[in-house]
């Protein structure tokens, strides 16, 4: 399965500045407000920056298949 609950994009000139981690954190806050208790986030296995963003927001790697990582983030 490829896809997830949310997505975010940081333009190339702004990458590496922490915006992705902040965006995902804000998305998690909104999910909490909506009563969502967990999020599924997917990214390409080779996308190390995206993986760090998800892992930096407590994402737990569930599986890797066909080059796609599936992460779950529990919303507290």
């Amino acid at each position: 399965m490829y896809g997830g609950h949310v997505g975010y994009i940081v333009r190339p000139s702004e990458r590496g500045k922490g915006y992705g981690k902040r965006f995902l954190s804000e998305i998690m806050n909104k999910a909490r407000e909506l009563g969502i208790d967990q999020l599924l986030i997917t990214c390409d296995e080779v996308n190390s920056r995206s993986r760090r963003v998800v892992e930096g927001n407590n994402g737990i790697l569930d599986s890797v298949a066909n080059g796609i990582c599936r992460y779950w983030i529990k919303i507290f």
Side-chain angles (χ1 to χ4, degrees), residues 11-75:
R11 77 174 147 182
S13 65
E14 298 302 311
R15 291 180 183 160
K17 297 180 180 179
Y19 293 119
K21 186 174 179 182
R22 178 62 188 259
F23 291 160
L24 184 52
S25 176
E26 291 299 322
I27 290 167
M28 292 166 57
N29 288 337
K30 186 62 174 179
R32 186 177 299 107
E33 289 174 15
L34 295 171
I36 297 170
D37 62 354
Q38 62 182 355
L39 296 175
L40 171 64
I41 309 289
T42 60
C43 68
D44 291 332
E45 184 176 12
V46 297
N47 189 339
S48 59
R49 284 186 173 183
S50 188
R51 292 182 73 172
R52 282 194 304 268
V53 166
V54 177
E55 291 166 1
N57 279 288
N58 300 312
I60 303 298
L61 182 62
D62 177 66
S63 64
V64 179
N66 301 316
I68 304 299
C69 299
R70 290 171 43 100
Y71 287 91
W72 286 99
I73 298 177
K74 293 185 179 182
I75 309 296

